[in-house]
């Protein structure tokens, strides 16, 4: 069990790797805990004020961590395997929650993090997981997404993207190259993990911006077509790839309402049991 009163840059050992984490709100045992999984270039710090705001609005605990190779976590060996998101879901997330002493959780992921959330829910049996929040998820490759990633590669090499990311990652080159080079590898063009959606057995909230350069509403349509469990959607007009930062109020309100409904269902179930 970790010390829940800590601040960012505290680390937790998982599988021989030291991972940065941060906690907000009440500790486990007082209700479900949100577990935040960041995007392909994200980290604990790049969630900005969202974790604290989420804890304040919902009254639930929030646990955010930087994946191996990101933020203040240990650097990762490159190149990343092309199935790095599947490996995170199957080999890291569960042991991380064990090490942190988490009980019931709501998994909330953005972009790559949303994919990991979806893969975990569809491939790992874990009754701690009470709900899923997927922000700008992707389960298959879209040409527009690859074009956006290649453009990011140009901005990193000759623009200001490297300088903007450098304060948030101890190994900024490793963080960027691990993400960029996996997605732009020719073998990644056939990547598709959408079959995991069919194995979800818990409610999900999906948030997608209409102007997301990395993915389209086709990702949301795929979830709707494949899911057997309840799925709610929030489509944000004029919003890009980061709804929680671009349209924070609408996104947090939807997450707050979703969590409140989950809690009501849980309490009703307990009362009937």
């Amino acid at each position: 069990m970790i010390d829940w009163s800590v601040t960012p840059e505290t680390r937790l050992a998982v599988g021989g790797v030291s991972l940065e984490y941060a906690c907000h709100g009440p500790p486990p045992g007082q209700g479900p805990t949100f577990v935040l999984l960041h995007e392909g270039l994200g980290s604990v710090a790049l969630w900005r004020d969202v974790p604290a705001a989420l804890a304040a609005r919902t009254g639930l605990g929030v646990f955010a961590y930087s994946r191996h190779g990101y933020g203040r976590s240990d650097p990762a060996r490159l190149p990343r395997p092309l199935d790095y998101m599947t490996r995170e879901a199957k080999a890291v997330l569960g042991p991380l929650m064990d090490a942190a002493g988490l009980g019931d959780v709501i998994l909330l992921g953005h972009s790559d993090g949303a994919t990991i959330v979806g893969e975990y829910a569809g491939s790992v049996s874990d009754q701690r997981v009470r709900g899923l929040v997927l922000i700008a998820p992707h389960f298959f490759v879209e040409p527009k997404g690859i074009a956006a990633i290649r453009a990011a590669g140009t901005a990193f090499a000759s623009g200001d993207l490297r300088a903007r990311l450098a304060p948030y990652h101890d190994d900024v080159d490793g963080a960027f190259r691990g993400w960029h080079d996996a997605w732009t590898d020719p073998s990644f063009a056939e990547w598709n993990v959408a079959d995991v959606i069919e194995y979800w057995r818990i409610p999900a909230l999906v948030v997608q911006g209409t102007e997301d350069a990395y993915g389209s509403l086709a990702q949301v349509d795929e979830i709707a077509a494949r899911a057997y469990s309840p799925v709610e959607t929030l489509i944000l007009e004029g919003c890009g790839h980061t709804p929680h930062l671009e349209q924070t109020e609408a996104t947090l309100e939807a997450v707050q309402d979703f969590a409140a409904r989950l809690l009501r269902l849980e309490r009703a179930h307990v009362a009937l049991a």
Side-chain angles (χ1 to χ4, degrees):
M1 182 72 178
I2 60 174
D3 178 0
W4 197 257
S5 63
V6 298
T7 56
E9 299 188 34
T10 301
R11 295 186 177 211
L12 179 66
V14 179
V17 175
S18 180
L19 301 178
E20 172 194 27
Y21 72 92
C23 308
H24 300 268
Q30 298 186 22
T33 300
F34 281 100
V35 178
L36 272 52
L37 291 96
H38 61 73
E39 63 177 309
L41 295 177
S43 68
V44 166
L46 282 167
W47 284 107
R48 304 193 188 280
D49 297 332
V50 169
L54 186 59
R57 292 184 69 130
T58 64
L60 301 178
V62 177
F63 176 88
Y65 78 103
S66 296
R67 297 197 301 276
H68 188 195
Y70 295 96
R72 309 303 171 209
S73 295
D74 284 351
R77 175 180 289 184
L78 298 182
R80 285 192 182 274
L82 300 190
D83 63 345
Y84 70 92
M85 288 175 278
T86 299
R87 295 187 185 207
E88 186 78 16
K90 292 185 175 181
V92 179
L93 183 53
L96 172 77
M97 293 192 294
D98 293 341
L102 302 183
D104 288 347
V105 298
I106 300 171
L107 300 179
L108 186 156
H110 171 227
S111 193
D112 278 14
T115 304
I116 295 165
V117 164
E119 290 208 66
Y120 190 81
S123 60
V124 178
S125 179
D126 188 342
Q127 295 190 3
R128 291 175 296 186
V129 182
R130 315 312 295 175
L132 313 173
V133 179
L134 301 101
I135 301 174
H138 38 243
F139 292 94
F140 53 88
V141 173
E142 295 186 71
K144 66 178 289 186
I146 299 302
I149 292 169
R150 292 191 184 281
T154 300
F156 189 83
S158 56
D160 67 347
L161 181 57
R162 187 182 187 281
R164 288 191 287 116
L165 289 173
Y168 301 102
H169 302 286
D170 285 347
D171 179 13
V172 65
D173 295 292
F176 184 84
R177 295 253 68 92
W179 168 76
H180 173 275
D181 294 357
W183 275 86
T184 57
D185 187 298
S187 298
F188 200 80
E190 302 303 316
W191 175 80
N192 188 317
V193 295
D195 59 322
V196 300
I197 299 166
E198 298 173 11
Y199 296 93
W200 295 354
R201 295 297 181 264
I202 48 178
L205 168 66
V206 181
V207 182
Q208 179 69 39
T210 60
E211 305 305 314
D212 189 341
Y214 292 91
S216 73
L217 293 177
Q219 305 287 339
V220 181
D221 293 341
E222 189 80 8
I223 293 170
R226 286 181 175 264
Y228 291 96
S229 55
V231 174
E232 303 173 26
T233 59
L234 173 65
I235 308 302
L236 295 171
E237 296 291 335
C239 185
H241 190 57
T242 54
H244 54 293
L245 300 180
E246 298 172 55
Q247 295 193 23
T248 303
E249 177 60 29
T251 302
L252 289 182
E253 182 178 3
V255 176
Q256 179 183 5
D257 289 347
F258 176 71
R261 285 192 294 276
L262 283 179
L263 290 175
R264 285 197 297 270
L265 287 171
E266 291 285 336
R267 289 166 184 155
H269 177 74
V270 170
L272 291 170

